[in-house]
Amino acid sequence: MRHNHDFNEVNPLAEQRTRLVVLLTVVMMIVEITAGWRFQSMALLVDGWHMGSHAIALGLSAAAYTLARRLARDERFAFGTWKIEILGGYTSAVFLAGVVVYMIWESVMRLMHPAPIAFNQAIGIACLGLLVNLCSAWLLAGAGGARHSHSHGHDHDHDHGHDHAHHHDLNLRSAYVHVAADAATSVLAIAALTGGKYLGATWLDPLMGIIGSVIVAAWACTLLRDTGRILLDAEMDSPVVAHIRRAVCGGNVGRTIEDLHVWRVGKGKFACVLSVVCTDAISPDEIRALLSKHEELAHVTVEVNRRAS
């Protein structure tokens, strides 16, 4: 029997806007790399290559949306195609980590071997890059907000607010993190070039490249942790696990959960398999009814074993 995976529906606005941001990023990448090479600005060149790697990563995010949509009715995916988006976010984070290594290497080399910089032209291009990044961030932020404009008025929401905090689109978030990282490096590039022009501190240019790398590394680690946790099904410390135990056992001392497995199958949606040992005459359907108030549980499989009182 085919399961309903409507909770895994691809966000069409996120897909469209991610594609638009890819286009903007590619155009700005070409401009910044060309200008950085011509005007001898390490901060600008690093920012350009940074955007280039992000264009690839953002392309992966867009491709993940496309695959998730096209394979949505594929019977091979037991719980839908949502994890394609998570895989896209994880891969993007790996690319981001690669960018960090490149940025640090190039910045250190420029510290050791400084070169004259055409500050006026480089500052102008860096400002243009910041404007493009801010526009891209606005586009992606709007795409995420459209999905979560509804309110949660259920009485039990206060018990699993932590879960709601992770319901967002991690593929969209990975794209947003890439754009935010680009914006941060653009700001640092502008600051370094301005300091170099007016203070004669040309060393600021590569130094800002190193500082920007540290900031980007922190974002990449966070994204790798969040997407990796989902891909590895490391969800047994989620609040929903405690909710299941309370709902099934409550104050009933004659009822225990002998085996429980919980994993994420969608944006804020979980599947669980549990084996209950009890002394009372409760059926699997009754246990499913106890869990039905928790809307985050999309699939529930129950086994009941009677035990002599």
Side-chain angles (χ1 to χ4, degrees):
M1 181 177 71
R2 176 157 184 89
H3 295 293
N4 186 350
H5 301 299
D6 289 344
F7 56 84
N8 283 329
E9 183 181 356
V10 174
N11 183 346
L13 183 60
E15 181 179 1
Q16 293 167 7
R17 292 197 174 184
T18 300
R19 290 179 181 278
L20 179 56
V21 168
V22 170
L23 178 61
L24 288 173
T25 302
V26 168
V27 171
M28 197 63 228
M29 169 201 73
I30 296 172
V31 172
E32 284 200 325
I33 290 176
T34 302
W37 175 78
R38 182 174 179 181
F39 304 136
Q40 294 295 310
S41 169
M42 188 61 226
L44 194 59
L45 189 61
V46 166
D47 194 29
W49 282 115
H50 186 208
M51 292 189 78
S53 65
H54 286 185
I56 296 174
L58 289 166
L60 285 170
S61 294
Y65 282 125
T66 300
L67 281 174
R69 176 169 44 80
R70 291 182 177 177
L71 298 174
R73 302 302 173 189
D74 193 319
E75 297 286 350
R76 293 175 298 175
F77 294 91
F79 293 100
T81 56
W82 175 67
K83 283 191 177 179
I84 292 178
E85 298 178 32
I86 302 303
L87 183 59
Y90 181 86
T91 306
S92 294
V94 172
F95 269 99
L96 197 61
V99 169
V100 169
V101 174
Y102 169 78
M103 287 172 64
I104 291 177
W105 172 261
E106 289 294 330
S107 296
V108 170
M109 289 297 101
R110 186 54 61 91
L111 271 174
M112 297 172 61
H113 307 288
I117 301 172
F119 289 109
N120 291 335
Q121 297 91 328
I123 290 173
I125 296 297
C127 288
L128 178 60
L130 176 60
L131 183 63
V132 169
N133 289 325
L134 291 176
C135 179
S136 298
W138 175 80
L139 286 170
L140 294 176
R147 178 181 284 276
H148 300 289
S149 60
H150 62 282
S151 61
H152 299 279
H154 304 291
D155 294 337
H156 61 274
D157 276 355
H158 67 280
D159 290 331
H160 51 88
H162 177 76
D163 280 345
H164 285 313
H166 292 280
H167 287 191
H168 50 259
D169 186 333
L170 282 175
N171 190 48
L172 181 64
R173 176 184 163 193
S174 73
Y176 185 85
V177 166
H178 280 283
V179 170
D182 280 333
T185 54
S186 293
V187 170
L188 292 175
I190 293 169
L193 291 167
T194 302
K197 176 181 178 181
Y198 293 105
L199 303 176
T202 55
W203 51 268
L204 281 173
D205 186 74
L207 178 62
M208 287 304 181
I210 295 174
I211 293 174
S213 299
V214 173
I215 295 173
V216 173
W219 286 335
C221 288
T222 299
L223 191 56
L224 281 170
R225 181 195 65 206
D226 290 347
T227 54
R229 169 177 171 158
I230 293 174
L231 291 173
L232 294 173
D233 295 323
E235 301 286 353
M236 292 305 292
D237 60 345
S238 296
V240 67
V241 175
H243 300 158
I244 293 170
R245 294 188 183 278
R246 277 201 305 270
V248 173
C249 299
N252 193 323
V253 295
R255 192 184 304 162
T256 59
I257 295 179
E258 188 176 61
D259 194 21
L260 175 62
H261 300 277
V262 177
W263 66 99
R264 199 179 296 254
V265 294
K267 298 177 180 68
K269 297 295 183 180
F270 295 83
C272 77
V273 176
L274 67 159
S275 176
V276 180
V277 177
C278 60
T279 57
D280 56 337
I282 191 170
S283 70
D285 286 339
E286 289 175 304
I287 291 178
R288 276 190 284 268
L290 291 174
L291 295 173
S292 62
K293 68 176 181 178
H294 295 290
E295 296 177 356
E296 66 269 35
L297 294 175
H299 295 270
V300 177
T301 301
V302 181
E303 175 187 74
V304 175
N305 296 304
R306 292 294 302 279
R307 179 177 58 196
S309 56

